[in-house]
Amino acid sequence: MKVVLTIGRDRKEKPYVEALKAVGLDCVVLEPGVAAEPWIHYLDEVRGLVMAGGSDIDPSLYRIPEPPHPTIDEPDAVRDHMERALFDSARAKDMPILGICRGVQVMNWAMGGDLYQDIDAHHEPENTQKKHRQTAYGKARHDVGHHVRLLPGTLLHRIIGSAEEIPVNTIHHQAVKVVAPGLTVNAISVEDGLVEGLEWTPGRFCLGVQWHPECLWDKPQTASSHRIFEAFSAAVKG
């Protein structure tokens, strides 16, 4: 069974591909600038969409456009428009969707929400330590960086099971600021209450998380991340 996996120009698809293969899914990998328009045609021969982590979304495209913060990545207009087109089309088809890190931010942006361009600069208290970028203080991507609280009654909580909090990694400097209409928050950071996950409940499976489960799925301490891929796979095959 195949799904589309969107990645950045840095070609860091390996951990995503491995995590998806572990649950019986193959990938059609789309890199901006290589994949040809119209991008939505790539969905014709697959059963799901995964949007991976990567560069920042251009803030001029926000619901309320903003000038770029000094810390923002160089915008990748092709990837922004590619993922927006794929997400909108996959949602219209009720195709299973999984957004990871940047992917959950794309979900929120595409449906009319806004983002913090830089958590440390815009989220109170301002200019705090980079606690959401664990690689900035010596932790590897596969280490646990903090805990998130799962909100009862959400799809994510049902997927994970009875746990109220789970350990995750944290490798981002942007986050959901204004939640888009129609999206439900399913996880928040225990430390500061930032949104860590969203889902679109009318859909068969439309779920995003701010952490990187593709770096955690094969470790006993973070087996909850494997359950996310298992649930996505079940929706794709269902």
Side-chain angles (χ1 to χ4, degrees), residues 7-15 29-32 34:
I7 62 167
R9 297 176 193 269
D10 53 3
R11 299 290 313 196
K12 292 182 178 178
E13 72 266 31
K14 183 178 179 182
V29 179
L30 299 189
E31 176 191 348
V34 175

Side-chain angles (χ1 to χ4, degrees), residues 4 6 30 32 35-44 46 48-51 57 61 76-97 102-103 105-107 109-111:
V4 162
T6 62
L30 299 189
E37 293 187 71
W39 298 295
I40 60 172
H41 288 177
Y42 288 97
L43 298 177
D44 291 344
V46 301
L49 171 66
V50 181
M51 298 182 294
I57 298 165
L61 300 176
D76 187 337
V78 177
R79 186 177 186 188
D80 289 344
H81 293 297
M82 178 180 78
E83 289 186 329
R84 175 67 183 267
L86 288 167
F87 174 76
D88 288 346
S89 181
R91 192 163 70 95
K93 294 173 181 284
D94 198 19
M95 180 178 284
I97 300 169
R102 172 190 157 97
Q105 295 169 12
V106 170
M107 289 171 55
W109 158 60
M111 292 184 65

Side-chain angles (χ1 to χ4, degrees), residues 3 14 21 23 26 30 48 60-61 68 72 91 97 117 131-132 158 174 196 222:
V3 299
K14 183 178 179 182
K21 281 192 173 182
V23 292
D26 291 323
L30 299 189
S60 72
L61 300 176
I72 199 168
R91 192 163 70 95
I97 300 169
Q117 287 194 54
K131 54 189 173 184
H132 285 277
R158 293 196 298 273
Q174 299 199 318
E196 290 276 346
T222 51

Side-chain angles (χ1 to χ4, degrees), residues 147-159:
H147 286 70
V148 300
R149 180 175 296 116
L150 306 177
L151 300 189
T154 60
L155 172 61
L156 181 62
H157 189 245
R158 293 196 298 273
I159 289 169

Side-chain angles (χ1 to χ4, degrees), residues 6-211:
T6 62
I7 62 167
R9 297 176 193 269
D10 53 3
R11 299 290 313 196
K12 292 182 178 178
E13 72 266 31
K14 183 178 179 182
Y16 300 95
V17 171
E18 290 177 347
L20 291 165
K21 281 192 173 182
V23 292
L25 298 177
D26 291 323
C27 301
V28 176
V29 179
L30 299 189
E31 176 191 348
V34 175
E37 293 187 71
W39 298 295
I40 60 172
H41 288 177
Y42 288 97
L43 298 177
D44 291 344
E45 304 298 326
V46 301
R47 297 285 298 275
L49 171 66
V50 181
M51 298 182 294
S55 58
D56 302 326
I57 298 165
D58 186 347
S60 72
L61 300 176
Y62 289 3
R63 175 181 60 92
I64 302 175
E66 298 178 5
H69 188 270
T71 62
I72 199 168
D73 299 332
E74 181 70 25
D76 187 337
V78 177
R79 186 177 186 188
D80 289 344
H81 293 297
M82 178 180 78
E83 289 186 329
R84 175 67 183 267
L86 288 167
F87 174 76
D88 288 346
S89 181
R91 192 163 70 95
K93 294 173 181 284
D94 198 19
M95 180 178 284
I97 300 169
L98 176 60
I100 294 174
C101 195
R102 172 190 157 97
V104 72
Q105 295 169 12
V106 170
M107 289 171 55
N108 192 56
W109 158 60
M111 292 184 65
D114 281 333
L115 307 173
Y116 289 112
Q117 287 194 54
D118 186 271
I119 298 166
D120 303 313
H122 297 294
H123 185 255
E124 296 293 340
E126 291 187 359
N127 300 315
T128 55
Q129 287 192 338
K130 298 174 179 61
K131 54 189 173 184
H132 285 277
R133 282 183 282 182
Q134 65 187 48
T135 51
Y137 54 88
K139 288 195 173 187
R141 295 176 67 87
H142 58 264
D143 292 333
V144 168
H146 69 166
H147 286 70
V148 300
R149 180 175 296 116
L150 306 177
L151 300 189
T154 60
L155 172 61
L156 181 62
H157 189 245
R158 293 196 298 273
I159 289 169
I160 301 303
S162 60
E164 294 183 1
E165 296 181 5
I166 59 171
V168 301
N169 52 8
T170 180
I171 315 164
H172 60 107
H173 80 108
Q174 299 199 318
V176 171
K177 178 181 178 183
V178 177
V179 177
L183 286 175
T184 299
V185 177
N186 55 29
I188 60 172
S189 166
V190 171
E191 288 80 1
D192 55 22
L194 274 176
V195 173
E196 290 276 346
L198 296 171
E199 56 192 57
W200 184 58
T201 53
R204 182 156 51 108
F205 187 105
C206 184
L207 182 145
V209 296
Q210 186 60 70
W211 64 95

